[in-house]
Amino acid sequence: MSEVLSVVKRALQHALQTTRDLSARAPGTVTVQVLCIGATVCLVGRYLLKKRYRLPPGPSALPLIGNLPTIAYGKDPLYITLSRLTEKYGPAITVYFGPVPCVMLNRADVVTEALVQRGGDFSGRPFLYSLGIMSNGFRNILFSSDSRAWKIHRKIAVQALRHYMSGPRMEEVLHNVVSKAIDKMAAERGPLDPHSLTMILMFVMIDMFCFAGNKELDDPKLEQLRDMFEKLTTEAGNGFLEDIIPPLRYFPTKKFRKFVDRLNQFSAYIYEQIDQHRRTFSRDNMRDITDSILLAQMEAEQEEESDDIQFFTNIHVGQTVADLFGGGVDTSRMTLDWGLYYLASFPEVQKRMQAELDAVTGSRLPGCADRTKLPYTEATLYEILRLGSVTPLSVPHRTLSDTSVGGYEVPKDTMVMINLWALSRDPKHWDQPDAFRPERFLDSEGKLIPRPESFMPFSVGRRSCLGEIVAKPELLLIFACIVKRLTLSLAPGFVFDSKPLNTSMIMHLPQPYKMVVSERSPGERV
């Protein structure tokens, strides 16, 4: 390396001396040839002098397009392709999305090292163009980096979720909405596609928590919202060329323009609800999550000497509400899709859940207080979360400083992704990893075991999903209420297939399916 640097140094000196000689003979003139030589030598020198990092290994990348042809546009979703690369390159690998390097972590030990032991180093978010558009300049919780604004809004959001989406308040809303959904399912006389119903179910519930809404499941506006939201998340799940080809940001693709249009529709709905809440806000009648966030904004405005007011613009408030609304709908409805698919496909698991629920709840619907008495039902939820892995690559991280993981160096501002799908199927941690076996989460006495090392459905560390505190009890009660009243089975002609629907690079969705629903008699539910 020292010999190469000496050559570069001599070339630079030669170019400079040639320039001086020409200038001395013809003052004020420098030939194009000398300029080209000088510029080339400078670029080569900068490249050679640039600090080298011992990045994790990975497949060879092509100039400009990187590994895109093989990893992003192959026959399998991205998370499965990356999991297979682990066999050759190890648990930490480097791939290139176009010219952008990304470190992928595919095993529990390196994920824990990065997100827990070195959590501060890996707590940023990448400055991807599409993420900036989605978050109105990185002013939300999900895509903003570890900062004062992020800490403030995350704390406010967690407090709001715990207050409005837990205990008796959550139970009342859930029983009301889920009972109506169960009635609609039971009324079906033929095969039922549950996909639309699960999404509308989550829309109505989150609308009630966020906006004190009172929509019915058959509200025609919900169909429009459902269609818009589903297309929005599907398009985001396939990535955008604008993130890796900067000129396209000035001449965006048709796909990206449609995405922005739908994003604007979603934002318009959120801000319409917020504006209504501002007009009717009362400290003596706090109604929902949005009121809670508006109160935090008002209190910040009253703190005259605080600098935090800059983090409570209307955009910050809107983005926080949108985070909680969108996150509450999307991952939950996909988990419901997977869960109903598994329950309809494995009747023995469903029967064991029903027996446990009947023994604990008798003829009533299960409630929040029953959770500790339903270990098998909770183990079934965990197995659905493990195999469902609805956000298999989680949300990308960015390193905030030069750091390391798995014995390799990772420079500052490197994008890092966590392959939760690979963790959930690691044969070193899971016996028969593709099998649906809820009992793997129970000990010999039928009690829940401590969280396995490779079980991270909501990620880990300071950037783990803030909705975890409400998602698990919420999903548990939804599944419990459905199985308590209904028996599910796959419709004739449908056979369970664990292979995901390959329509998204980074979302893990089940194959289309239909099921047959029969209502359990009151005698069966005692």
Side-chain angles (χ1 to χ4, degrees):
M1 185 65 178
S2 60
E3 294 179 359
V4 173
L5 293 177
S6 296
V7 171
V8 172
K9 183 178 179 181
R10 289 197 298 272
L12 282 170
Q13 291 172 341
H14 177 72
L16 289 171
Q17 186 59 48
T18 303
T19 303
R20 292 192 191 100
D21 293 343
L22 286 170
S23 297
R25 290 196 297 267
T29 63
V30 179
T31 65
V32 173
Q33 181 181 14
V34 171
L35 284 174
C36 291
I37 292 173
T40 301
V41 172
C42 286
L43 289 173
V44 172
R46 181 181 178 186
Y47 175 78
L48 293 174
L49 291 171
K50 184 179 179 181
K51 182 178 178 180
R52 299 296 173 183
Y53 293 88
R54 185 170 171 266
L55 286 165
S60 298
L62 297 171
L64 298 179
I65 61 174
N67 300 113
L68 284 176
T70 54
I71 65 170
Y73 299 105
K75 64 178 182 178
D76 292 315
L78 177 59
Y79 50 90
I80 294 179
T81 300
L82 293 169
S83 181
R84 289 173 179 158
L85 289 175
T86 300
E87 300 173 6
K88 181 176 181 179
Y89 298 106
I93 63 176
T94 302
V95 295
Y96 285 80
F97 296 105
V100 180
C102 180
V103 172
M104 312 293 304
L105 305 181
N106 298 282
R107 202 171 65 196
D109 55 342
V110 290
V111 171
T112 300
E113 179 187 351
L115 302 190
V116 179
Q117 298 169 8
R118 304 179 188 274
D121 295 348
F122 289 84
S123 61
R125 293 295 193 209
F127 295 120
L128 294 178
Y129 179 72
S130 62
L131 301 188
I133 295 295
M134 284 186 259
S135 59
N136 206 323
F138 301 98
R139 283 180 281 192
N140 68 352
I141 300 172
L142 189 60
F143 299 136
S144 65
S145 283
D146 190 342
S147 63
R148 175 69 178 162
W150 170 78
K151 291 175 182 176
I152 289 173
H153 280 271
R154 183 181 174 93
K155 180 179 179 181
I156 293 169
V158 169
Q159 290 173 342
L161 289 174
R162 283 176 172 161
H163 184 73
Y164 291 99
M165 289 188 67
S166 63
R169 190 185 296 263
M170 181 186 76
E171 187 176 306
E172 179 183 358
V173 170
L174 190 145
H175 280 172
N176 177 22
V177 179
V178 175
S179 292
K180 293 176 180 178
I182 291 173
D183 289 342
K184 287 180 70 70
M185 295 169 71
E188 292 288 335
R189 293 292 176 260
L192 165 70
D193 180 354
H195 176 72
S196 295
L197 183 59
T198 57
M199 192 161 194
I200 289 176
L201 163 66
M202 293 312 305
F203 251 113
V204 172
M205 283 185 55
I206 298 302
D207 198 70
M208 294 181 76
F209 290 128
C210 285
F211 305 128
N214 58 357
K215 293 182 175 64
E216 294 295 331
L217 294 175
D218 55 359
D219 189 326
K221 292 183 179 179
L222 286 176
E223 287 293 334
Q224 298 175 5
L225 282 170
R226 180 195 67 80
D227 183 65
M228 175 272 295
F229 194 81
E230 187 166 23
K231 289 178 179 176
L232 188 68
T233 54
T234 300
E235 289 166 353
N238 282 315
F240 300 101
L241 291 174
E242 284 76 3
D243 285 328
I244 57 176
I245 305 176
L248 288 178
R249 300 168 192 178
Y250 303 98
F251 308 97
T253 59
K254 182 179 179 181
K255 172 189 171 183
F256 193 75
R257 292 197 304 271
K258 285 186 176 180
F259 171 79
V260 172
D261 286 342
R262 293 191 178 101
L263 184 64
N264 290 336
Q265 294 174 39
F266 175 63
S267 296
Y269 177 74
I270 297 296
Y271 281 101
E272 178 185 352
Q273 302 301 316
I274 294 174
D275 289 342
Q276 289 178 1
H277 275 61
R278 287 188 193 280
R279 292 192 294 269
T280 57
F281 179 83
S282 172
R283 289 174 183 259
D284 298 326
N285 181 30
M286 299 293 290
R287 298 160 293 186
D288 48 38
I289 287 173
T290 299
D291 274 350
S292 181
I293 295 170
L294 288 176
L295 178 61
Q297 183 187 37
M298 295 174 187
E299 291 175 344
E301 291 172 346
Q302 293 170 0
E303 293 287 335
E304 296 180 359
E305 298 181 1
S306 174
D307 293 332
D308 291 345
I309 184 58
Q310 63 182 307
F311 308 131
F312 281 95
T313 66
N314 291 341
I315 292 176
H316 283 97
V317 169
Q319 288 295 319
T320 296
V321 174
D323 265 358
L324 297 178
F325 188 96
V329 170
D330 207 38
T331 54
S332 295
R333 62 98 178 172
M334 290 189 284
T335 302
L336 286 177
D337 284 347
W338 273 113
L340 295 178
Y341 192 27
Y342 274 108
L343 291 173
S345 303
F346 294 86
E348 68 280 2
V349 172
Q350 192 178 167
K351 288 177 182 177
R352 189 168 169 183
M353 280 181 65
Q354 289 170 335
E356 182 179 70
L357 287 163
D358 293 344
V360 172
T361 66
S363 59
R364 62 177 173 83
L365 286 175
C368 294
D370 299 317
R371 183 178 175 187
T372 58
K373 305 170 189 175
L374 300 170
Y376 186 80
T377 301
E378 186 146 9
T380 302
L381 170 63
Y382 289 173
E383 186 72 336
I384 291 169
L385 290 170
R386 182 184 75 86
L387 289 172
S389 293
V390 294
T391 52
L393 294 175
S394 189
V395 181
H397 294 248
R398 175 176 60 89
T399 51
L400 299 180
S401 62
D402 284 3
T403 185
S404 63
V405 65
Y408 296 98
E409 297 174 320
V410 184
K412 180 183 178 182
D413 292 327
T414 300
M415 184 162 64
V416 179
M417 298 185 78
I418 313 302
N419 193 343
L420 300 178
W421 187 90
L423 269 61
S424 71
R425 286 166 171 75
D426 187 344
K428 294 181 180 179
H429 290 271
W430 306 101
D431 178 40
Q432 295 181 304
D434 292 322
F436 183 63
R437 292 171 45 211
E439 58 270 19
R440 70 172 78 244
F441 288 96
L442 302 172
D443 61 19
S444 58
E445 298 179 354
K447 298 178 180 179
L448 286 168
I449 62 174
R451 183 184 69 82
E453 179 185 2
S454 200
F455 182 60
M456 305 180 189
F458 299 93
S459 192
V460 291
R462 66 176 71 187
R463 296 310 298 253
S464 62
C465 176
L466 64 85
E468 180 178 4
I469 57 173
V470 296
K472 288 194 291 188
E474 176 191 53
L475 288 167
L476 177 76
L477 282 188
I478 293 175
F479 283 123
C481 288
I482 291 174
V483 171
K484 173 72 178 177
R485 277 191 55 189
L486 303 175
T487 294
L488 317 174
S489 58
L490 284 183
F494 287 87
V495 178
F496 178 76
D497 184 357
S498 62
K499 185 178 179 180
L501 183 65
N502 190 10
T503 58
S504 173
M505 290 195 301
I506 59 174
M507 294 170 66
H508 186 233
L509 307 172
Q511 297 284 337
Y513 68 96
K514 291 185 178 182
M515 61 185 190
V516 176
V517 174
S518 60
E519 189 163 14
R520 300 178 72 206
S521 66
E524 290 179 290
R525 291 185 263 147
V526 176

